[in-house]
Amino acid sequence: MIELTLKHALADLEIDIRFSSSARCLALFGDSGAGKTTILNAIAGLLRPRHARIVLDNQILIDSAAGIDMPPAARGVGYVFQDGRLFPHLSVRGNLLYGAQARHRKAIQFERLVELLELGPLLDRRPHNLSGGERQRVAIGRALASEPRILLLDEPLTGLHHEARVQVLDHLRRLKQELHVATLLVSHQVDEVIALADEVIRVHAGTLSAQLDTAQFQRG
Amino acid sequence: MTALSIDEWQALALSLRVATLSVVVSLPFALGLAWLLSRRRFPGRLLIEALLFLPLTLPPVVTGYALLILFGRHGWIGESLAQIGIVFAFRWTGAVLAAAVMGFPLLVLSIRVAFDNVDQRLERAAETLGASAWRRFVTIVVPLSTRGIIAGSVLAFARAFGEFGATITFVSSIPGETRTLPIAIYELMSVSGGDAGVQRLTVVAFAVALAATITAAVFGGSLWGRRRDD
């Protein structure tokens, strides 16, 4: 369950959006430059919005009016960045365990994630020895291994060639079935949204243009 | 060329010890200051940067005199430290302090450049994974700056190894205590028959300095205008 109100000015875009959803996988769909990533960054706490109120499962992440602003490290989001951002000096295993170690917890899901994402043979490799699709799977695994309350996927399939794209999409679908982690997917690809989302928010020029269930979205 | 005399060995050993310790002692401070300069905007930053470079621009004898005023037996800070048993004046520890001060700018500068080159998006990623500022520093920033930290340490070591002016002003020349290799060379020059010793120690100084600059160039690619390869 997420409730979000966000007002924020970027250099070339004014974001003014408000929505709430209890969909397990909610997609933010729209052209690039519509402000979708900014919304994810606001949820993760990576930007200082002009005005925001974001509530995740009854916990206030930020409420500018009330002076509440949780630090990113405490928000418990698993962010899969569009540009990967795997730690280049750590092995795949080191990357996957980073979140659990940072939070001084045991990585309970580790074995399961390695299996679901088929990362076993890659565990001792460094990120620069991975293909694009492998890197993205590790990034997804790293975010999930931190046991987030919400998974933020920013264009997770962009930049992958066709085969890798199909494969990663397949993994994402399996994870959705197996793990039941609330997910916010940012995408401008219709097939991705249809494959993964339960509900879709169309974002246009920083505002909400429609909130649809996936069937409505599919009809156009 | 003949082997080093006992006195020359003593001077060399002292210089190596002083230079090594000066880097070890100043490294934590340099890491902290480099991080502040690289990652934080705060009032007085410019002043700190200016002060940081003073040891590079001041005549070393002036730095040595300033150390004497501050850390001498009756110095502003030295007097209080002496009460708890920490004495710098005319001790080898004072030579370490002088060497540390002179090498500090090079150390901070190299590390700061390395920190600047670390992709801050990785730190943001670590932050979303729950890492505190300290953990991000230890697990992301420092490991990705290893080459710059090594390069800076080696340069600071070389600078400390060659330190003369501030050291002789602050702690004078006491054999086995503060007579480092450069001071030994200087003194041998004014002794009749000291030429051979001067030449031997000069060769040693050349070798150490060259090894240090080569090591720094190998590790500090970015400092020397090359892209780091990791």
Side-chain angles (χ1 to χ4, degrees):
Chain A
M1 173 73 186
I2 187 164
E3 281 174 58
L4 179 141
T5 307
L6 176 65
K7 289 190 173 117
H8 190 67
L10 296 175
D12 48 356
L13 179 71
E14 187 77 28
I15 293 174
D16 186 350
I17 194 164
R18 173 180 204 137
F19 61 81
S20 79
S21 167
S22 43
R24 185 139 58 80
C25 181
L26 176 68
L28 299 177
F29 177 83
D31 299 332
S32 43
K36 305 184 299 293
T37 298
T38 306
I39 296 172
L40 288 193
N41 286 338
I43 295 170
L46 297 183
L47 69 90
R48 200 161 285 278
R50 206 176 59 204
H51 173 83
R53 181 181 149 82
I54 302 171
V55 183
L56 182 64
D57 296 328
N58 298 319
Q59 180 167 35
I60 300 170
L61 300 184
I62 180 168
D63 187 343
S64 339
I68 299 171
D69 187 0
M70 276 176 90
R75 292 191 180 200
V77 302
Y79 199 154
V80 178
F81 299 90
Q82 194 173 352
D83 50 3
R85 305 195 194 180
L86 294 179
F87 304 129
H89 58 304
L90 299 180
S91 64
V92 168
R93 187 194 309 276
N95 272 278
L96 291 172
L97 291 173
Y98 192 89
Q101 283 164 351
R103 295 201 163 100
H104 304 286
R105 283 205 304 243
K106 285 192 86 174
I108 310 163
Q109 299 265 45
F110 181 77
E111 302 293 334
R112 183 118 183 271
L113 284 167
V114 167
E115 188 201 316
L116 283 168
L117 285 159
E118 295 175 86
L119 297 174
L122 310 178
L123 284 176
D124 294 319
R125 289 214 222 148
R126 292 288 179 94
H128 65 267
N129 288 326
L130 301 176
S131 70
E134 288 168 341
R135 245 178 256 157
Q136 206 53 10
R137 270 150 56 201
V138 175
I140 294 164
R142 181 179 71 173
L144 284 170
S146 72
E147 288 171 49
R149 295 187 300 158
I150 188 166
L151 180 66
L152 307 176
L153 296 171
D154 190 4
E155 306 274 7
L157 307 177
T158 298
L160 299 182
H161 61 79
H162 179 72
E163 208 174 308
R165 195 168 178 273
V166 170
Q167 209 189 44
V168 175
L169 187 60
D170 211 49
H171 280 104
L172 282 172
R173 221 185 271 134
R174 266 178 73 191
L175 289 168
K176 189 190 166 191
Q177 286 159 8
E178 301 275 335
L179 294 179
H180 310 287
V181 178
T183 301
L184 191 53
L185 167 72
V186 156
S187 175
H188 66 280
Q189 301 282 344
V190 176
D191 61 335
E192 241 166 85
V193 171
I194 291 171
L196 296 171
D198 303 310
E199 195 172 24
V200 185
I201 285 173
R202 279 183 183 271
V203 183
H204 178 71
T207 59
L208 183 149
S209 72
Q211 184 161 359
L212 315 157
D213 63 37
T214 310
Q216 289 168 321
F217 175 77
Q218 205 163 358
R219 285 196 296 272
Chain B
M1 182 172 291
T2 50
L4 295 182
S5 74
I6 290 171
D7 282 356
E8 289 158 16
W9 271 117
Q10 196 179 44
L12 172 62
L14 178 67
S15 271
L16 289 174
R17 181 170 59 158
V18 164
T20 306
L21 274 172
S22 76
V23 175
V24 170
V25 169
S26 50
L27 193 56
F29 298 99
L31 287 167
L33 185 58
W35 183 83
L36 277 178
L37 293 174
S38 172
R39 293 291 191 273
R40 288 282 182 267
R41 300 284 169 269
F42 53 90
R45 213 176 99 100
L46 209 63
L47 184 68
I48 289 182
E49 281 190 316
L51 287 175
L52 174 65
F53 285 101
L54 267 185
L56 281 185
T57 49
L58 273 176
V61 62
V62 173
T63 304
Y65 183 66
L67 287 172
L68 206 53
I69 300 277
L70 290 173
F71 293 98
R73 255 184 236 291
H74 302 290
W76 299 350
I77 304 170
E79 193 149 21
S80 326
L81 286 177
Q83 286 170 6
I84 53 169
I86 300 172
V87 178
F88 289 111
F90 307 110
R91 297 275 176 86
W92 69 272
T93 47
V96 173
L97 179 63
V101 167
M102 298 303 285
F104 199 62
L106 292 171
L107 193 55
V108 175
L109 185 65
S110 310
I111 297 174
R112 188 238 166 111
V113 169
F115 284 180
D116 283 347
N117 281 337
V118 171
D119 186 349
Q120 291 196 35
R121 291 174 307 166
L122 295 174
E123 291 170 63
R124 297 288 78 77
E127 201 175 358
T128 65
L129 290 165
S132 62
W134 173 248
R135 181 172 273 274
R136 299 197 295 276
F137 178 71
V138 172
T139 61
I140 308 290
V141 180
V142 168
L144 289 174
S145 306
T146 319
R147 297 172 73 94
I149 294 170
I150 292 174
S153 301
V154 172
L155 281 178
F157 171 86
R159 179 68 190 80
F161 186 82
E163 213 317 286
F164 175 76
T167 307
I168 199 165
T169 312
F170 183 34
V171 292
S172 184
S173 167
I174 305 164
E177 184 77 24
T178 65
R179 190 168 67 190
T180 57
L181 185 134
I183 295 173
I185 294 177
Y186 179 75
E187 290 189 345
L188 280 170
M189 283 168 72
S190 56
V191 174
S192 68
D195 284 2
V198 168
Q199 283 163 14
R200 286 192 293 268
L201 290 180
T202 302
V203 168
V204 172
F206 252 109
V208 171
L210 196 61
T213 45
I214 289 171
T215 313
V218 167
F219 282 99
S222 61
L223 279 180
W224 305 71
R226 262 186 286 121
R227 227 184 99 79
R228 298 185 331 156
D229 54 11
D230 61 348

